[in-house]
Amino acid sequence: QVQVVESGGGLVQAGGSLRLSCASSGRTVSSYTMGWFRQAPGKDREFVAGINWSGGITNYADSVKGRFAITRDNAKNTVYLQMISLKPEDTAVYYCAARGPLRVGVPMTESAYDFWGQGTQVTVSL
């Protein structure tokens, strides 16, 4: 079993930056693909970014390309989501998810991920 816990959310003004962290425990997730999803009020949960087990392959939603960056530190069992140039439409609960182990690709669909965190709120004000 894998547990993932998100942190780093908060309130930020438009144009600002935040870094989210996803710490994993239980089985080592160094062989797991990790993803970030988000859910805004009244909307479905959507894919934001993903990274394969080695960090060599990343995938981003078009809406965040060039503004968000996903990285991982396998020694710390932690995945990060650096967010810059934040917009009010980035406001959502952000979820970390794990897919693995050693499965191919960085999928954008919720059903492809096996373990989920409880989420962290990101609010971007004007």
Side-chain angles (χ1 to χ4, degrees), residues 31-80:
S31 61
Y32 284 59
T33 292
M34 302 297 292
W36 285 98
F37 290 73
R38 66 186 181 186
Q39 187 169 21
K43 295 188 176 181
D44 293 335
R45 190 154 54 183
E46 64 176 2
F47 175 82
V48 175
I51 188 167
N52 79 324
W53 67 274
S54 70
I57 300 173
T58 56
N59 198 5
Y60 294 95
D62 288 343
S63 60
V64 306
K65 282 180 181 176
R67 299 189 299 122
F68 290 11
I70 186 170
T71 57
R72 67 189 300 160
D73 184 340
N74 284 340
K76 296 182 178 179
N77 272 345
T78 302
V79 176
Y80 304 98

Side-chain angles (χ1 to χ4, degrees), residues 4-12 16-23 35-41 43-50 60-61 63-65 67-70 79-98 110 115-125:
V4 293
V5 178
E6 305 92 339
S7 62
L11 174 63
V12 63
S17 302
L18 277 176
R19 189 178 79 157
L20 305 183
S21 297
C22 172
W36 285 98
F37 290 73
R38 66 186 181 186
Q39 187 169 21
K43 295 188 176 181
D44 293 335
R45 190 154 54 183
E46 64 176 2
F47 175 82
V48 175
Y60 294 95
S63 60
V64 306
K65 282 180 181 176
R67 299 189 299 122
F68 290 11
I70 186 170
V79 176
Y80 304 98
L81 186 68
Q82 180 68 52
M83 306 184 293
I84 66 170
S85 301
L86 282 162
K87 305 174 182 180
E89 50 263 45
D90 294 317
T91 294
V93 177
Y94 283 70
Y95 297 90
C96 179
E110 289 186 57
F115 305 100
W116 292 80
Q118 294 299 307
T120 185
Q121 176 70 47
V122 172
T123 303
V124 184
S125 63

